Amino acid sequence: MLPSWLKYWVFGVMEWLVEYAYYWLTGKTYLQRVCFHHPAPERIVHIERRLVLLASEPVRHALSGDAGVDIEQVVQEICRVEGVTNTDQDKFTVQLRESVAQIHSVATMLSGVKLLRSTAYSSENSTHEESLLELWSHLKPDQPLSDRISSQWGDIGFQGSDPATDFRGMGYLGLLNLVYLAKHRSETARCILLHSQHPTIGYGFAIAGINLTSLILELFKSNDLQVYFYREFPHRSVTLHDFHEVFCLLFEQFDKFWIAKEPENVMAFNAVREEYKQALQDTLRTSFSCLLRADQYTKS
C-alpha cells in the first residue's frame, strides 16, 4: 500500500496531466471551461475551490472577505495566473467577475457573523440588555417580565434565571438570531415556542435556537452552507439579514424534524441535532438546498 504522501503526489501529478490534456485539446483553462459550461451555483463552487489553490495575495483577501477588495484587480490577477489570453477572455471575465464578487460577499457576511459570535454578551452593555428584553416582549407580549433576573426566562427556554449565562457559546450572535425570529417571524416563533412546551417531547426554545446558531456556523466551517447562498443570491450581495433568514428557516425545519422523530425526552436533543445536521448536509451536497425531503422526516 502506498504511503499517504505518495498517494497525494501521484494524484496531484495525474490531475495536472488531465488538466494539461484538456487545455491542449480545447485551448481553454479549467476556469474558462467552468465559466462556459456550468451555471451558478456550481460555477461559483468550482471557482472558489480553484481560487483556494492560488498563492496570490489579492485572491486571498477576496476569499477572506476583507474590506476594500478591488474585484476587478482580483479578476485581472486570476487571468494573469491562469494564463487567460485568448479571444474568449471578455466572456470569461464577465462570469468570473460575478462569481468572485459573490464569493467575496458571502465571505464578508461570514466575517461579520464571526465578529458577533466573538462578542460576549454583557449585562453591562445597554444594547445587549435592550435586545434581551425585546426578545421577551415579542415572545410574551401579554405577560410582563417581573424582573431582569427571573425564573420567568425558563418559560421561553432559558436554563436559569439569568439568560446571560446561556449566550457564552454563541455570544451576541445567538441573541440577535432569536430576536430576529421573534420580531420578523413572530407567528413562526410563537408556533415553535408552543411546540417546545409540549409536556413529553418539549425542549428549551432559546437553548435550541442558540444551538442551531452553532450548527449554522458548523455548516459554514465544513463549506456546506456557502453553496445555498450562491444558489439563492447569485446576483446580489448577501447581508446579515440573509443569515438571520436562514436561521429562521432552519429553526422552523428543525422543530418539524424534532416532532417527526418523536424523541422520548429532551435528553435526545444532541442525537436528533446530529441527525438533522447530517440530513442538511446530504441535501446541501446533492441539491444545493436547505429544504429537507419528506422522507428525511421519518422516525428513526
Side-chain angles (χ1 to χ4, degrees):
M1 181 177 292
L2 294 175
S4 58
W5 68 267
L6 185 55
K7 287 182 180 179
Y8 181 82
W9 183 83
V10 170
F11 284 128
V13 171
M14 291 177 62
E15 186 177 14
W16 181 85
L17 289 173
V18 170
E19 172 63 23
Y20 182 81
Y22 269 117
Y23 182 76
W24 184 78
L25 290 170
T26 67
K28 292 181 173 61
T29 67
Y30 172 80
L31 286 183
Q32 285 177 298
R33 296 196 303 275
V34 166
C35 285
F36 296 151
H37 302 296
H38 291 276
E42 293 96 326
R43 180 182 71 245
I44 304 176
V45 171
H46 283 295
I47 290 175
E48 182 178 30
R49 290 173 181 169
R50 182 71 167 195
L51 297 188
V52 170
L53 303 176
L54 299 184
S56 167
E57 187 172 349
V59 173
R60 285 198 300 270
H61 286 311
L63 292 174
S64 300
D66 295 344
V69 169
D70 186 335
I71 299 298
E72 193 60 42
Q73 179 187 6
V74 175
V75 170
Q76 292 175 4
E77 174 69 5
I78 294 170
C79 288
R80 183 190 68 79
V81 174
E82 289 289 298
V84 179
T85 58
N86 61 31
T87 55
D88 287 328
Q89 182 171 353
D90 288 342
K91 180 180 177 181
F92 166 69
T93 53
V94 169
Q95 297 273 24
L96 182 61
R97 187 181 298 110
E98 290 180 354
S99 300
V100 171
Q102 191 61 8
I103 291 169
H104 178 254
S105 172
V106 173
T108 300
M109 178 208 67
L110 188 56
S111 179
V113 164
K114 290 178 178 178
L115 180 61
L116 291 170
R117 151 68 182 81
S118 65
T119 302
Y121 182 92
S122 173
S123 57
E124 303 299 319
N125 187 313
S126 60
T127 300
H128 292 186
E129 288 288 283
E130 288 169 7
S131 296
L132 181 60
L133 295 176
E134 183 181 9
L135 175 63
W136 177 271
S137 67
H138 285 301
L139 291 175
K140 295 286 188 177
D142 301 321
Q143 183 179 339
L145 186 66
S146 62
D147 199 356
R148 165 62 180 80
I149 306 296
S150 169
S151 61
Q152 285 178 280
W153 290 112
D155 295 344
I156 60 173
F158 285 103
Q159 296 182 107
S161 59
D162 186 0
T165 59
D166 290 330
F167 294 115
R168 289 172 184 163
M170 287 294 108
Y172 190 40
L173 176 65
L175 175 57
L176 287 181
N177 267 343
L178 289 171
V179 171
Y180 184 94
L181 172 65
K183 181 178 181 179
H184 297 282
R185 297 287 181 267
S186 57
E187 185 175 344
T188 297
R190 292 174 192 171
C191 182
I192 296 173
L193 179 60
L194 180 63
H195 293 164
S196 74
Q197 295 170 337
H198 190 278
T200 57
I201 60 170
Y203 57 88
F205 171 86
I207 292 299
I210 295 170
N211 205 297
L212 287 172
T213 295
S214 176
L215 185 148
I216 292 173
L217 293 182
E218 290 170 22
L219 291 174
F220 271 115
K221 187 175 182 179
S222 61
N223 293 314
D224 287 308
L225 197 52
Q226 285 87 335
V227 69
Y228 172 80
F229 285 87
Y230 297 155
R231 190 194 77 158
E232 293 297 312
F233 315 108
H235 303 299
R236 73 162 176 84
S237 297
V238 297
T239 65
L240 182 61
H241 165 86
D242 300 310
F243 182 88
H244 289 321
E245 284 291 322
V246 169
F247 170 78
C248 295
L249 169 65
L250 296 194
F251 202 168
E252 182 178 18
Q253 187 169 247
F254 174 80
D255 180 60
K256 295 176 182 177
F257 190 86
W258 172 270
I259 293 172
K261 295 300 177 180
E262 299 180 12
E264 291 186 8
N265 51 53
V266 73
M267 298 303 292
F269 184 88
N270 287 338
V272 175
R273 176 197 187 275
E274 287 306 304
E275 190 176 349
Y276 176 62
K277 178 183 176 181
Q278 186 60 60
L280 266 178
Q281 287 179 313
D282 292 343
T283 302
L284 285 164
R285 293 170 183 177
T286 56
S287 63
F288 309 122
S289 172
C290 282
L291 299 176
L292 301 186
R293 302 184 309 274
D295 64 296
Q296 291 176 293
Y297 287 96
T298 56
K299 185 177 179 180
S300 302

